Amino acid sequence: PYLEIIENPKSRGFRFRYTCEGPSHGGIPGGSSDKNKKTFPAVKICNYQGYARIVVQLVTNEENPRLHPHSLVGKQCQNGICTVQCGPKDMTATFPNLGIQHVTKKNVATILEERYIAAEMQLSSINDGFPQEVQRNIKGEILIVFRHEDRKRISVKATSEAKSIDLSVVRLMFIAYLPDSNGAFTIMLKPVISDAIFDSKAPNAATLKICRMDCNAGSASGGDEVYLLCDKVQKDDIQVVFSEEDMQGNNIWEGYGNFSPTDVHRQFAIVFRTPQYRDVDIKQPVNVQVQLRRKSDHEVSEAKPFTYLPNKSDLELIDRKRRKPMPDFVDHLGNGNTGAEPTEGTYGPHYAPQAQQNKNGTGELGSVFFLFYDNITNHFNPPYLDKYVSSSTLTRIFKSNAYKCLHATQGLNLNLPLYIPKLTKHHGIYISRTGLCKGSIASLWIVESRYFKSGAKNNSILSLTKKWAERNSTALHDYSITGDVRMLLVLQRHLTSIRDHSGDSVLHVAVIHDQLEVLSSLLDVVATLDNKQSIVDAINKQKQTALQVAVLTDNVEAVIDLIKMGANPLILDSYGNHSIHVACRHGNASILYHLLNSKQLDIMQMDMKNHDGLGCFHLAAKASQGTRQCLGLLKSNNFNVNMADTKSGRTALHLAVEMDNLVVAGCLISECDADMEAATYEGYTPLHVAASLGLCEIATLLLACGADPDASTSPPGSENGITPADLAASDQMRDLLNGIKLPFNPKITQNIFSDIAQLDEILRLKLCKLLNAERTGSDWLALAERLSLGSIVTFIRHSENPTNTLLDNYMVS
DNA sequence: CGGGAACTGAT
DNA sequence: CATCAGTTCCC
C-alpha cells in the first residue's frame, strides 16, 4: 500500500491567518479549483482496502522538510495537526477545510518546541519508552514527562531553527496509518508532501496587480514614460514585462519596461519607460500585453493591453498631406466657364463667379463678392446657406450687419467705404459654404436676373464687376510679360486667409509641399495686407503655424523666409511646443540659429516648458542629432541649462545621464556649466541616477568633473539622506563611488582610426603642424568630432598644441 | 474574504 | 530619531 496525492493544494492566492483573526476563513482550495467548481486537497491510499487514519501537518518548503511552526486549523484539526479516518470502501480523503494559522514571529521558537515535543511523544508512543519518564501527578494519574536534558536539547534546537524558517510558505505532509493486528493505527505508510503553499499576504508572494496606467499606448520606438499604479510590490524584485503572442498563443516577443528601483514609489507605483517594440517601423498599431513580473519567482500579474503605434510625429500628418493627389488646373474650370446662358431663377454655384464678357466685350456679368465676417455663420446659417435667398431678405441681412461687411468685394481697394449693393427684387443671391471652414468667409454671388434678359443698366454692381474684370485681364497680361506670379496673386491676396479642412492656410500648404518660390511670392503678397501678421501666424488644426511646419520639416529656407516676414516663433502648438522647442527636438542647429536671431525675443518665453514639462535644453539633450551645436546655441542665448522639468524635477543633465549619453553629458557639463548637484523632486543628483542605473562610465565622468559622491537626498545636517552609494546597482559602482579606481578596461570599438593611433613621431608632428596652422582651429575641431572627442574641445582649446593634446587624449580614451 | 490601518523591527 | 518595509490585527 502507498499514499498518493490526487489533488494538490493551490500554491498561490491563499492567505495565512493570525490567531487573532479567528479560525474560520475558508480552507485551502485545490490546485485545479476555480470559481464554478471548487476542489480541495485530496489523497488516496492505493493497494489497500479498509479503515485507515490520515494525519496532515505543515512542513517547510525545503529539500529536507522540517516541521513548520504554523498550524493547520479547521474541522478535524487539533494542535496544528489534522487527523481524519477513511475507508473501508472509499480510500480517498479530501480536506475541504484546512486553514493555515500564522504563528507570530515572537512565538516561532516556542511553538516549534511544542511541535518537536509532540512529535517525539508520538514517536515514543509507537516505539515505547524512548526519551520520556513517567511521573504521577497529585491525583495519581500517569504523566509523561521529558527528561531535563531532552527538554533542553529540544529547546535549543527549536530556538536555532526558528530563525531560518520561512514563515511565508508551507507544504502539507500527509501520513497514512493502517491498523495493526490490534486494530491500532500504527503501520505508517511513507509520508507524501504537497506542493508549496505561499501566503498571499506575504510581501514576496503577494498577488501582483496592475491597478491603473496613465497611458496604454505609445510609439514603437519606445521611451514613453508611463505611470503605473499597482498593488504592493518590492522595488528590487519587480519587472514590467511587455509581450506579444502570435495567433497560436506562442510568445514571440518580450521587452522590459525601463526603470530603476528608485522609480518604484513606496511599493505602490512604478514610473517606467516603454521598451522599443521589436519592429520600430510598424505601419499599423500593434496590440501587446503588459504585466508585472516578480523576478524571484517569475509570478506575473494579469496582463493589461498596450498598443504600440507607428512612430507618430507631426511629420506623419505632414506626409499624409503631401501624399494627396496633386491638383490639376482644369479641375478649376467649373461649369460656367463657357458662358452658357443661365436660366432665370436658378442661380447656383455653376454660374461662374468670374466676370464674363458680354457681346460688347466688356466684363460685366454675374460677379462674386466676398464678405469678411467675424463669424458669418451667425448671420448666414441655415436657412440661408447654399440656397437662393431673395433680395428682400438679403437687404435685411445687409442692413442689420452692415458694420460687419468689411471688405465687401473682391478686387476692390480695401480702404473703400463699405459697399452695400442696392438690390431690387430682380436680384438674387446664392451664399456658398465655400471657404467657411473657419466660419469667417462666405462667397456671395449676386446676380441681377434682369440683366440676362434685357442687357445691363448702369448699375454699381456692374461697374465694379467691370473694374474687376479689367484688373484681372491686365494682371494676366502683366504676368505674361514678367512671369511674375505675384501679378496674379495680388488680386487674390484676401483669399490667403482662407483655410482648407485641415486648417492649413496657403502658407502652410506651400511649406508642406516644399514650394519655396511659391511661399516667397505668397509672402510678398501677404505683406501688402493690413492683417498680414494674423495671416503669417495663422494656425492649423494642430495649432501649428506655417513657421512650425517649416521647422518640423527641417526646411531652413522656408524658416528664413517666414522669419523675415515677421513670423512669430513663440506660438505654441497643441503640445505646448513653440518653434524653438521643435528645432531643439529635431537637433536642427541651423534652424535654431535663425529662430534665435529672428528678433528681440523674450528669454522668459523662449525658455518655457512644453506640455510635457520639458524645456529647450531637455529637448535638445534628447535629440538624436545636432545636440552639441544646439546646446551651445542655447547656452550662448542664456537659456537655463539647469531648468528642472515639471514632472519630476530633472535637468537636461539628468536626462543625458539616464540615456547613458556620455557625449551629451560631457557637453552639458563642460560647455554649458550644467549644475552637477541639481536635484530632482526626490532629491536625486545626476550621480544618484548614474549609480542606480549602474552606468559606470557616466559616473566616472561625473566624479571626474567634481560631482559630490556624498550628495544626500536630504539637506545637510540630516543624517538620513540617500547617497549615490546607497543606490549603487553593482559592487563596481560602489567601489567607484568610494573612490576606488576601476582597472583600465578599454572597449574595443571601431578600428577605423587605428592609423591615427599608430602614427609615427614624424607623421604626427606633421599632422599637428598642418591642423594647428588653421588659426580658427576648424581643422583640429573637425578631427575632434570625428574621434568622438567633441566634448573635450573646451579643455584643449587653449593648449599650445591642440592637435597633439587631442591625439594624446584619443590614445588615453 | 479582502482591504487596510496600526503596530513593530531594521536600518 | 525618522522612515520604510514587514507584521499583526481589525473590520
Side-chain angles (χ1 to χ4, degrees), chain A residues 105 162 203 264 321 483 771:
Chain A
K105 257 188 150 181
V264 178
K321 288 172 182 171
L771 296 187

Side-chain angles (χ1 to χ4, degrees), chain A residues 222-532:
Chain A
D224 294 318
E225 195 173 62
V226 179
Y227 287 57
L228 182 156
L229 305 190
C230 52
D231 276 0
K232 214 172 201 178
V233 295
Q234 294 176 302
K235 64 177 187 294
D236 294 310
D237 190 22
I238 193 71
Q239 286 176 312
V240 180
V241 182
F242 287 67
S243 59
E244 184 189 16
E245 290 180 348
D246 63 10
M247 299 298 192
Q248 286 76 46
N250 302 313
N251 199 344
I252 52 171
W253 172 74
E254 201 167 277
Y256 301 102
N258 203 331
F259 65 94
S260 74
T262 54
D263 295 317
V264 178
H265 179 76
R266 302 274 194 276
Q267 300 189 297
F268 288 103
I270 304 174
V271 182
F272 64 93
R273 289 185 184 282
T274 56
Q276 190 179 84
Y277 183 60
R278 63 189 167 91
D279 176 8
V280 182
D281 264 336
I282 50 172
K283 298 286 177 270
Q284 294 297 319
V286 179
N287 294 316
V288 299
Q289 308 269 301
V290 205
Q291 49 193 177
L292 294 172
R293 179 151 80 198
R294 192 154 43 220
K295 291 185 208 162
S296 57
D297 58 6
H298 298 120
E299 270 296 295
V300 291
S301 71
E302 256 179 38
K304 296 278 179 248
F306 185 88
T307 306
Y308 273 112
L309 304 171
N311 271 330
K312 208 180 152 189
S313 58
D314 299 311
L315 286 173
E316 188 78 8
L317 234 112
I318 289 171
D319 283 341
R320 210 154 67 203
K321 288 172 182 171
R322 280 177 178 166
R323 279 200 300 275
K324 276 194 199 157
M326 287 307 250
D328 185 11
F329 81 93
V330 290
D331 297 346
H332 301 290
L333 289 179
N335 292 329
N337 72 317
T338 55
E341 286 284 302
T343 319
E344 191 179 359
T346 57
Y347 305 111
H350 53 283
Y351 293 126
Q354 60 263 76
Q356 296 175 7
Q357 288 202 340
N358 63 12
K359 287 173 198 157
N360 303 325
T362 52
E364 37 182 45
L365 195 43
S367 188
V368 59
F369 293 79
F370 287 89
L371 297 180
F372 290 69
Y373 269 78
D374 288 345
N375 188 353
I376 198 149
T377 46
N378 288 348
H379 312 292
F380 289 122
N381 256 341
Y384 304 127
L385 277 181
D386 283 338
K387 260 190 198 164
Y388 182 84
V389 177
S390 74
S391 58
S392 56
T393 310
L394 190 60
T395 308
R396 187 165 50 76
I397 295 172
F398 267 29
K399 279 184 178 158
S400 62
N401 293 289
Y403 68 99
K404 283 184 175 171
C405 300
L406 294 178
H407 311 306
T409 59
Q410 178 192 39
L412 291 177
N413 187 336
L414 285 176
N415 298 324
L416 279 181
L418 172 65
Y419 174 73
I420 300 177
K422 278 178 193 157
L423 298 165
T424 73
K425 64 177 176 181
H426 300 294
H427 285 108
I429 182 176
Y430 185 90
I431 303 169
S432 161
R433 282 181 193 278
T434 314
L436 266 181
C437 292
K438 281 290 168 190
S440 58
I441 296 169
S443 55
L444 185 66
W445 303 338
I446 297 181
V447 181
E448 189 192 6
S449 59
R450 225 158 32 125
Y451 174 82
F452 297 108
K453 283 182 177 172
S454 57
K457 295 281 174 289
N458 194 11
N459 173 307
S460 337
I461 297 178
L462 295 180
S463 84
L464 291 173
T465 309
K466 183 177 169 187
K467 263 191 204 165
W468 168 235
E470 282 169 2
R471 292 183 57 184
N472 260 317
S473 57
T474 313
L476 185 59
H477 278 265
D478 290 349
Y479 169 61
S480 307
I481 295 167
T482 59
D484 186 345
V485 73
R486 290 175 297 185
M487 297 288 180
L488 299 178
L489 290 177
V490 75
L491 290 175
Q492 313 213 20
R493 61 189 184 279
H494 311 112
L495 299 179
T496 49
S497 62
I498 291 183
R499 324 290 185 72
D500 65 16
H501 65 275
S502 310
D504 289 319
S505 73
V506 285
L507 299 180
H508 288 102
V509 175
V511 172
I512 287 168
H513 292 279
D514 203 20
Q515 300 284 6
L516 283 175
E517 285 183 28
V518 174
L519 178 68
S520 162
S521 305
L522 284 171
L523 284 172
D524 284 347
V525 169
V526 167
T528 66
L529 295 170
D530 289 344
N531 59 339
K532 63 179 176 189

Side-chain angles (χ1 to χ4, degrees), chain A residues 621-638:
Chain A
K622 286 171 73 172
S624 53
Q625 52 169 4
T627 301
R628 278 199 56 236
Q629 292 88 333
C630 287
L631 294 179
L633 281 170
L634 293 174
K635 178 66 187 171
S636 55
N637 280 275
N638 297 319

Side-chain angles (χ1 to χ4, degrees), chain A residues 2-250:
Chain A
Y2 64 93
L3 186 64
E4 177 184 76
I5 295 178
I6 54 178
E7 173 82 358
N8 258 303
K10 215 182 192 97
S11 271
R12 305 212 173 250
F14 185 75
R15 179 160 146 189
F16 301 177
R17 295 289 177 168
Y18 288 85
T19 320
C20 63
E21 292 184 280
S24 52
H25 291 287
I28 309 167
S32 61
S33 189
D34 70 24
K35 251 190 185 147
N36 302 323
K37 197 174 170 240
K38 289 192 176 165
T39 68
F40 298 99
V43 292
K44 180 182 174 188
I45 301 174
C46 304
N47 297 334
Y48 172 79
Q49 204 71 52
Y51 289 104
R53 176 178 292 171
I54 297 174
V55 174
V56 197
Q57 59 194 126
L58 296 175
V59 296
T60 58
N61 185 28
E62 294 165 306
E63 203 169 332
N64 300 312
R66 295 179 281 168
L67 285 181
H68 202 287
H70 289 348
S71 295
L72 274 174
V73 289
K75 267 182 194 157
Q76 291 141 309
C77 301
Q78 241 183 353
N79 299 325
I81 295 172
C82 180
T83 313
V84 298
Q85 297 273 0
C86 80
K89 285 186 177 158
D90 182 9
M91 294 315 293
T92 64
T94 51
F95 299 86
N97 194 25
L98 287 181
I100 295 173
Q101 196 171 79
H102 199 302
V103 64
T104 62
K105 257 188 150 181
K106 256 189 284 189
N107 292 333
V108 173
T110 325
I111 302 287
L112 214 48
E113 198 175 328
E114 282 173 23
R115 289 271 183 285
Y116 291 147
I117 289 170
E120 298 211 8
M121 299 242 288
Q122 171 87 16
L123 210 63
S124 59
S125 74
I126 295 168
N127 295 344
D128 202 22
F130 176 50
Q132 69 203 16
E133 283 178 346
V134 174
Q135 290 182 357
R136 284 170 197 279
N137 66 7
I138 307 162
K139 290 180 190 166
E141 293 164 340
I142 290 179
L143 286 178
I144 298 173
V145 173
F146 280 78
R147 285 195 295 267
H148 182 71
E149 58 267 33
D150 291 324
R151 190 99 213 195
K152 185 80 187 168
R153 172 177 57 78
I154 290 171
S155 167
V156 168
K157 183 182 170 203
T159 317
S160 78
E161 295 204 350
K163 292 167 196 154
S164 66
I165 283 179
D166 184 348
L167 297 180
S168 69
V169 54
V170 298
R171 288 185 294 172
L172 302 176
M173 179 172 74
F174 300 91
I175 305 180
Y177 294 92
L178 305 185
D180 56 21
S181 49
N182 298 328
F185 292 98
T186 55
I187 303 173
M188 186 176 107
L189 298 186
K190 190 175 173 234
V192 289
I193 297 179
S194 76
D195 291 346
I197 305 165
F198 297 90
D199 180 7
S200 70
K201 192 73 180 197
N204 61 3
T207 325
L208 297 171
K209 186 176 170 195
I210 296 175
C211 307
R212 190 185 268 220
M213 286 162 60
D214 77 325
C215 90
N216 56 1
S219 93
S221 49
D224 294 318
E225 195 173 62
V226 179
Y227 287 57
L228 182 156
L229 305 190
C230 52
D231 276 0
K232 214 172 201 178
V233 295
Q234 294 176 302
K235 64 177 187 294
D236 294 310
D237 190 22
I238 193 71
Q239 286 176 312
V240 180
V241 182
F242 287 67
S243 59
E244 184 189 16
E245 290 180 348
D246 63 10
M247 299 298 192
Q248 286 76 46
N250 302 313

